[in-house]
């Protein structure tokens, strides 16, 4: 998984802030996305929000983009470790499914599951 580019928008609340949403080279699985979310939320030098974007003040956008790329690589390492813990057949099924999901285009993170039980 890699980040292709970013959608950078001016924050509707504060004009000096930017909202940075990563776009990926293929559709992120929920498992990989969970690793990415954990890494982003644990990062002390970026503000990653529940709506799948990071917030940055104007002038720090490139820094935050670089940090998100590094966190993407760390999530890839987490996914490899996760797959190594699975039986060979299950891991190969997961890898094959992700290979089939690769397509031209830009992909966003999936919506987060709600933490509430109804």
């Amino acid at each position: 998984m890699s980040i292709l580019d970013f959608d950078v928008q001016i924050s509707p609340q504060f004009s000096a802030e930017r909202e940075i949403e990563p776009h990926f080279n293929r559709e992120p699985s929920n498992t990989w996305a969970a690793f990415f979310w954990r890494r982003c939320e644990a990062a002390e030098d970026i503000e990653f929000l529940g709506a799948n974007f990071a917030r940055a003040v104007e002038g720090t956008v490139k820094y935050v983009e670089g940090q998100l790329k590094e966190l993407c690589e760390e999530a890839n390492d987490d996914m490899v470790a996760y797959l190594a813990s699975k039986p060979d057949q299950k891991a190969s099924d997961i890898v094959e499914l992700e290979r089939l999901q690769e397509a031209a285009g830009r992909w966003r993170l999936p919506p987060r599951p709600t933490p509430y039980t109804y």
Side-chain angles (χ1 to χ4, degrees):
M1 182 74 64
S2 62
I3 294 177
L4 291 176
D5 60 16
F6 298 91
D7 182 18
V8 180
Q9 300 287 325
I10 296 173
S11 171
Q13 283 185 307
F14 306 104
S15 63
E17 291 183 350
R18 301 295 180 262
E19 295 176 353
I20 307 164
E21 179 186 16
H23 293 147
F24 300 92
N25 66 323
R26 66 174 188 256
E27 184 176 14
S29 70
N30 288 334
T31 303
W32 184 90
F35 291 129
F36 184 71
W37 289 323
R38 283 187 206 134
R39 290 287 182 168
C40 289
E41 289 167 353
E44 295 179 4
D45 54 348
I46 65 169
E47 182 183 5
F48 195 79
L49 303 172
N52 290 334
F53 65 85
R55 183 178 291 154
V57 294
E58 193 173 4
T60 63
V61 171
K62 292 294 179 197
Y63 172 79
V64 172
E65 289 176 351
Q67 292 301 102
L68 289 171
K69 287 181 178 182
E70 286 182 26
L71 295 169
C72 177
E73 292 302 318
E74 291 174 14
N76 287 341
D77 294 341
D78 293 341
M79 187 68 175
V80 168
Y82 170 76
L83 291 174
S85 72
K86 299 296 171 196
D88 291 340
Q89 185 58 47
K90 180 167 180 161
S92 67
D93 290 347
I94 293 169
V95 171
E96 180 63 15
L97 178 63
E98 291 207 351
R99 187 190 68 73
L100 292 172
Q101 288 177 340
E102 262 187 287
R106 297 168 30 211
W107 296 90
R108 291 182 158 95
L109 286 167
R112 287 184 175 208
T114 178
Y116 307 106
T117 304
Y118 296 101

